Coordinates of all heavy atoms in Angstrom, one line a residue:
Chain Z
L526 N -56.5 75.7 12.3 CA -55.5 75.0 11.4 C -54.8 76.0 10.5 O -53.6 76.0 10.2 CB -56.2 74.0 10.5 CG -56.4 72.6 11.0 CD1 -57.1 71.8 9.9 CD2 -55.1 71.9 11.4
S527 N -55.7 76.9 9.9 CA -55.1 77.9 9.0 C -54.2 78.9 9.7 O -53.2 79.4 9.1 CB -56.2 78.6 8.2 OG -56.8 79.6 8.9
S530 N -50.9 77.0 10.0 CA -50.2 76.8 8.7 C -49.7 78.1 8.1 O -48.6 78.1 7.5 CB -51.0 76.0 7.7 OG -52.0 76.8 7.2
N531 N -50.5 79.1 8.3 CA -50.0 80.4 7.7 C -48.8 80.9 8.5 O -47.9 81.5 7.9 CB -51.1 81.5 7.8 CG -52.2 81.1 6.8 OD1 -52.0 80.2 6.0 ND2 -53.3 81.8 6.9
D534 N -45.6 79.6 7.2 CA -45.2 79.9 5.8 C -45.6 78.9 4.8 O -45.0 78.7 3.8 CB -43.7 80.2 5.6 CG -43.3 81.3 6.6 OD1 -44.0 82.2 6.8 OD2 -42.1 81.2 7.1
Q535 N -46.7 78.1 5.1 CA -47.1 77.2 4.0 C -47.9 77.9 3.0 O -48.6 78.9 3.3 CB -47.9 76.1 4.6 CG -47.1 75.1 5.4 CD -47.9 74.0 6.0 OE1 -49.0 73.8 5.8 NE2 -47.2 73.3 6.9
I536 N -47.9 77.4 1.8 CA -48.6 78.1 0.7 C -50.1 77.7 0.9 O -50.5 76.6 0.8 CB -48.2 77.6 -0.7 CG1 -46.7 77.7 -0.8 CG2 -48.9 78.3 -1.8 CD1 -46.1 76.7 -1.8
P537 N -50.9 78.7 1.1 CA -52.3 78.4 1.4 C -53.0 78.0 0.0 O -52.6 78.5 -1.0 CB -52.9 79.7 1.9 CG -52.0 80.8 1.5 CD -50.7 80.2 1.2
S538 N -54.0 77.1 0.1 CA -54.8 76.9 -1.1 C -56.1 77.6 -0.9 O -56.1 78.7 -0.2 CB -54.9 75.4 -1.4 OG -55.5 74.7 -0.3
K539 N -57.2 77.1 -1.4 CA -58.4 77.9 -1.5 C -58.9 78.5 -0.1 O -58.7 77.8 0.9 CB -59.5 77.0 -2.0 CG -60.7 77.7 -2.7 CD -61.6 76.7 -3.4 CE -62.9 77.3 -3.7 NZ -63.9 77.1 -2.6
D540 N -59.4 79.7 -0.1 CA -59.9 80.4 1.1 C -58.9 80.4 2.2 O -59.2 80.2 3.4 CB -61.2 79.7 1.6 CG -62.3 79.8 0.5 OD1 -62.4 80.8 -0.1 OD2 -63.0 78.8 0.3
S541 N -57.6 80.6 1.9 CA -56.5 80.6 2.8 C -56.4 79.4 3.8 O -55.8 79.5 4.9 CB -56.3 82.0 3.6 OG -57.6 82.5 3.9
M542 N -57.0 78.3 3.4 CA -56.9 77.1 4.2 C -55.6 76.3 3.7 O -55.2 76.4 2.6 CB -58.1 76.2 3.9 CG -59.3 76.7 4.6 SD -59.1 76.5 6.4 CE -59.9 78.0 7.0
P543 N -55.1 75.5 4.6 CA -53.9 74.8 4.2 C -54.2 73.7 3.2 O -55.4 73.2 3.1 CB -53.4 74.1 5.5 CG -54.6 74.1 6.5 CD -55.4 75.4 6.1
G544 N -53.3 73.4 2.3 CA -53.5 72.4 1.3 C -53.9 71.0 1.8 O -54.4 70.2 1.1
S545 N -53.5 70.8 3.1 CA -53.8 69.5 3.7 C -55.1 69.5 4.4 O -55.4 68.5 5.1 CB -52.7 69.2 4.6 OG -52.6 70.2 5.7
L546 N -56.0 70.5 4.2 CA -57.2 70.5 5.0 C -58.0 69.2 4.8 O -58.6 68.7 5.8 CB -58.1 71.7 4.5 CG -59.4 71.9 5.2 CD1 -59.2 72.2 6.7 CD2 -60.3 73.0 4.6
Y547 N -58.1 68.7 3.6 CA -58.9 67.5 3.4 C -58.4 66.3 4.3 O -59.1 65.7 5.0 CB -58.9 67.1 1.9 CG -59.6 65.8 1.6 CD1 -61.0 65.8 1.4 CD2 -58.9 64.6 1.6 CE1 -61.6 64.6 1.1 CE2 -59.5 63.4 1.3 CZ -60.9 63.4 1.1 OH -61.6 62.2 0.9
S548 N -57.1 66.1 4.2 CA -56.5 65.0 5.0 C -56.6 65.3 6.5 O -56.9 64.4 7.3 CB -55.0 64.9 4.7 OG -54.8 64.7 3.3
D549 N -56.5 66.5 6.9 CA -56.6 66.9 8.3 C -58.0 66.6 8.8 O -58.2 66.0 9.9 CB -56.3 68.4 8.6 CG -54.8 68.7 8.2 OD1 -54.0 67.8 8.2 OD2 -54.6 69.9 7.9
T580 N -69.7 76.3 -0.8 CA -68.5 76.1 -1.7 C -67.3 76.6 -1.0 O -66.2 76.4 -1.5 CB -68.7 76.9 -3.0 OG1 -68.8 78.3 -2.8 CG2 -70.0 76.5 -3.8
H581 N -67.4 77.2 0.1 CA -66.2 77.6 0.9 C -65.4 76.3 1.2 O -66.0 75.3 1.5 CB -66.6 78.3 2.2 CG -65.5 78.8 3.0 ND1 -64.7 78.0 3.8 CD2 -64.9 80.0 3.1 CE1 -63.8 78.7 4.4 NE2 -63.8 79.9 4.0
A582 N -64.1 76.5 1.3 CA -63.2 75.3 1.5 C -63.6 74.4 2.7 O -63.5 73.2 2.6 CB -61.8 75.7 1.6
I583 N -64.1 75.0 3.8 CA -64.3 74.2 5.0 C -65.6 73.3 4.7 O -65.4 72.1 4.8 CB -64.5 75.1 6.2 CG1 -63.1 75.8 6.5 CG2 -64.8 74.2 7.4 CD1 -63.2 76.8 7.6
D585 N -66.9 72.6 2.0 CA -66.7 71.8 0.8 C -65.9 70.5 1.1 O -66.3 69.4 0.7 CB -66.0 72.7 -0.3 CG -65.8 72.0 -1.6 OD1 -66.8 71.4 -2.1 OD2 -64.7 72.0 -2.2
N586 N -64.8 70.7 1.7 CA -63.9 69.5 2.1 C -64.7 68.6 3.1 O -64.6 67.4 3.0 CB -62.6 70.0 2.7 CG -61.6 70.4 1.6 OD1 -61.0 69.5 1.0 ND2 -61.5 71.7 1.4
Chain R
A529 N -54.2 63.8 -6.6 CA -53.6 65.1 -6.9 C -53.3 66.0 -5.7 O -52.3 66.7 -5.6 CB -54.5 65.9 -7.9
Q530 N -54.3 65.9 -4.7 CA -54.1 66.6 -3.5 C -52.9 66.1 -2.7 O -52.1 66.9 -2.1 CB -55.3 66.5 -2.6 CG -56.4 67.4 -3.1 CD -57.6 67.2 -2.2 OE1 -57.8 66.2 -1.5 NE2 -58.5 68.2 -2.2
R533 N -50.0 67.7 -4.1 CA -50.0 69.1 -3.7 C -49.4 69.3 -2.3 O -48.5 70.1 -2.1 CB -51.4 69.7 -3.8 CG -51.4 71.2 -3.2 CD -52.7 71.8 -3.5 NE -53.8 71.3 -2.7 CZ -55.1 71.7 -2.8 NH1 -55.4 72.6 -3.7 NH2 -56.0 71.2 -2.1
E534 N -49.8 68.4 -1.4 CA -49.3 68.5 0.0 C -47.8 68.4 0.0 O -47.1 69.1 0.7 CB -49.9 67.4 0.9 CG -51.3 67.7 1.3 CD -51.9 66.6 2.2 OE1 -51.1 66.1 3.0 OE2 -53.1 66.4 2.2
N537 N -46.0 71.4 -1.7 CA -46.0 72.5 -0.8 C -44.9 72.4 0.3 O -44.2 73.4 0.6 CB -47.3 72.7 -0.1 CG -48.4 73.2 -1.1 OD1 -48.1 73.4 -2.3 ND2 -49.6 73.3 -0.7
P543 N -45.5 76.9 -6.9 CA -46.8 76.2 -7.2 C -47.4 76.7 -8.5 O -47.2 77.8 -9.0 CB -47.7 76.7 -6.0 CG -47.1 78.0 -5.6 CD -45.6 78.0 -6.0
G544 N -48.2 75.8 -9.1 CA -49.0 76.1 -10.2 C -50.4 76.6 -9.8 O -50.6 77.0 -8.6
P545 N -51.4 76.6 -10.6 CA -52.8 77.0 -10.3 C -53.3 76.3 -9.0 O -53.1 75.1 -8.9 CB -53.6 76.7 -11.5 CG -52.6 76.6 -12.6 CD -51.4 76.1 -12.0
D546 N -54.0 77.0 -8.1 CA -54.5 76.4 -6.9 C -53.5 75.7 -6.1 O -53.8 74.7 -5.4 CB -55.7 75.5 -7.2 CG -57.0 76.3 -7.6 OD1 -56.9 77.5 -7.7 OD2 -58.0 75.6 -7.8
A547 N -52.2 76.1 -6.2 CA -51.1 75.5 -5.4 C -50.8 74.0 -5.8 O -50.1 73.3 -5.1 CB -51.4 75.6 -3.9
F548 N -51.4 73.5 -6.9 CA -51.1 72.2 -7.4 C -49.7 72.2 -8.0 O -49.3 73.3 -8.5 CB -52.1 71.7 -8.4 CG -53.4 71.1 -7.7 CD1 -54.5 71.9 -7.7 CD2 -53.3 69.9 -7.0 CE1 -55.7 71.4 -7.1 CE2 -54.5 69.4 -6.4 CZ -55.7 70.2 -6.4
P549 N -49.0 71.1 -8.1 CA -47.7 71.1 -8.8 C -47.9 71.5 -10.3 O -48.9 71.2 -10.9 CB -47.2 69.7 -8.6 CG -48.2 68.9 -8.0 CD -49.3 69.8 -7.5
A585 N -63.0 71.1 -6.3 CA -63.2 72.0 -5.1 C -64.4 72.9 -5.4 O -64.4 73.6 -6.4 CB -62.0 72.8 -4.8
E591 N -61.3 73.9 -12.4 CA -60.1 73.8 -11.5 C -59.1 72.9 -12.1 O -59.5 72.1 -13.0 CB -60.6 73.4 -10.1 CG -61.4 72.1 -10.0 CD -60.5 70.9 -9.8 OE1 -59.6 71.0 -9.0 OE2 -60.8 69.9 -10.5
P592 N -57.9 72.9 -11.6 CA -56.8 72.2 -12.3 C -57.0 70.7 -12.6 O -56.7 70.2 -13.6 CB -55.6 72.5 -11.4 CG -55.9 73.7 -10.7 CD -57.4 73.7 -10.5

Side-chain angles (χ1 to χ4, degrees):
Chain Z
L526 277 179
S527 79
S530 75
N531 292 348
D534 303 324
Q535 284 176 14
I536 308 152
S538 55
K539 206 168 161 272
D540 299 316
S541 39
M542 284 292 143
S545 59
L546 181 64
Y547 177 85
S548 306
D549 297 335
T580 64
H581 183 282
I583 299 172
D585 185 48
N586 280 282
Chain R
Q530 283 178 340
R533 173 169 72 184
E534 283 185 32
N537 291 358
D546 288 1
F548 281 105
E591 57 88 44

